[in-house]
Amino acid sequence: GENVEQHPSTLSVQEGDSAVIKCTYSDSASNYFPWYKQELGKRPQLIIDIRSNVGEKKDQRIAVTLNKTAKHFSLHITETQPEDSAVYFCAVADEKLTFGTGTRLTIIP
Amino acid sequence: DTAVSQTPKYLVTQMGNDKSIKCEQNLGHDTMYWYKQDSKKFLKIMFSYNNKELIINETVPNRFSPKSPDKAHLNLHINSLELGDSAVYFCASRGGATIGAETQYFGPGTRLLVL
């Protein structure tokens, strides 16, 4: 089955700086890659996704890049703010979501 | 926010008991899921139903039995609860596999604590 690795497991960033989270996957047939943000005690919520026919997608301060050949994709958050503090999960989707192990992002004011 | 709802939100029970968690979605989606999030925050698929039919069962013990009375509801019954069942259980739904419909939406979670 699909195997998704995510790094780093924890990340502390000064407010205003950028944060990057990276994921690799194993199944080259995968073609949909969502990112979820989970705040403490809350449900995972989709923040951005990318399909295999594009290499990059941006939504305000959040961007995702995908390298299908290398089977890795990354989340980039620019101009980080305290409310970006959360656990972020990458996922690879077919008939189910296979999640990465999560990154706990802490924004230091 | 009420698109995917779960009850109860919290469940504290003794080992050996039987309990149920209910999930409902009002998005008109065909596919529903149960995921388990353990204490280390790992999120893992348990079951998936499409139009009331089981399509994914990820080697979950037989003590866990999902039931889908209609495509808007997916319930999870757990028999003979064990300490290791303590986790947060999330229900999710998805419109389909076509582009634009593959996003999964999660319920608020049910925090199960087995004592």
Side-chain angles (χ1 to χ4, degrees):
Chain A
E2 180 71 81
N3 184 42
V4 182
E5 293 190 5
Q6 182 172 346
H7 299 282
S9 56
T10 60
L11 180 59
S12 293
V13 172
Q14 208 70 37
E15 183 178 354
D17 288 350
S18 296
V20 181
I21 302 169
K22 299 183 179 183
C23 288
T24 59
Y25 61 98
S26 58
D27 186 353
S28 56
S30 300
N31 56 24
Y32 177 60
F33 308 89
W35 283 88
Y36 283 83
K37 176 183 180 183
Q38 187 178 27
E39 296 175 345
L40 188 62
K42 301 288 177 88
R43 75 189 80 193
Q45 291 204 294
L46 180 75
I47 55 170
I48 196 166
D49 55 17
I50 192 167
R51 293 177 183 86
S52 58
N53 57 341
V54 298
E56 184 173 357
K57 181 176 177 181
K58 193 172 180 181
D59 182 2
Q60 299 182 1
R61 297 186 297 108
I62 296 173
V64 56
T65 58
L66 170 65
N67 183 327
K68 270 220 87 173
T69 304
K71 291 188 282 187
H72 67 69
F73 57 114
S74 300
L75 178 72
H76 305 252
I77 306 174
T78 57
E79 299 170 30
T80 53
Q81 299 168 3
E83 54 264 36
D84 295 330
S85 294
V87 179
Y88 291 80
F89 292 95
C90 63
V92 176
D94 39 46
E95 70 272 13
K96 65 180 187 292
L97 286 173
T98 301
F99 285 94
T101 47
T103 297
R104 184 176 299 278
L105 176 62
T106 302
I107 307 302
I108 304 164
Chain B
D1 231 22
T2 57
V4 183
S5 58
Q6 292 178 231
T7 54
K9 192 168 181 180
Y10 300 98
L11 189 50
V12 181
T13 188
Q14 299 286 330
M15 257 193 329
N17 283 352
D18 304 337
K19 291 293 178 185
S20 291
I21 308 171
K22 296 187 175 184
C23 178
E24 176 181 1
Q25 53 93 5
N26 61 8
L27 297 166
H29 287 169
D30 289 337
T31 309
M32 295 183 72
Y33 304 83
W34 279 110
Y35 289 89
K36 179 180 179 180
Q37 187 170 43
D38 63 20
S39 58
K40 294 183 179 177
K41 301 294 185 186
F42 296 148
L43 268 163
K44 194 168 179 195
I45 182 74
M46 297 175 70
F47 299 104
S48 173
Y49 269 72
N50 188 60
N51 271 323
K52 304 190 294 177
E53 288 196 25
L54 178 68
I55 55 172
I56 295 174
N57 180 343
E58 288 282 312
T59 60
V60 178
N62 290 339
R63 299 183 294 104
F64 291 79
S65 51
K67 282 189 173 53
S68 182
D70 55 63
K71 76 172 193 177
H73 296 83
L74 180 62
N75 304 323
L76 184 64
H77 188 76
I78 316 170
N79 289 325
S80 304
L81 278 154
E82 299 177 359
L83 294 176
D85 298 332
S86 296
V88 182
Y89 293 84
F90 286 101
C91 177
S93 73
R94 183 188 79 167
T98 56
I99 292 175
E102 68 268 74
T103 300
Q104 290 193 25
Y105 297 90
F106 283 78
T110 296
R111 285 146 188 83
L112 171 66
L113 178 60
V114 182
L115 302 174

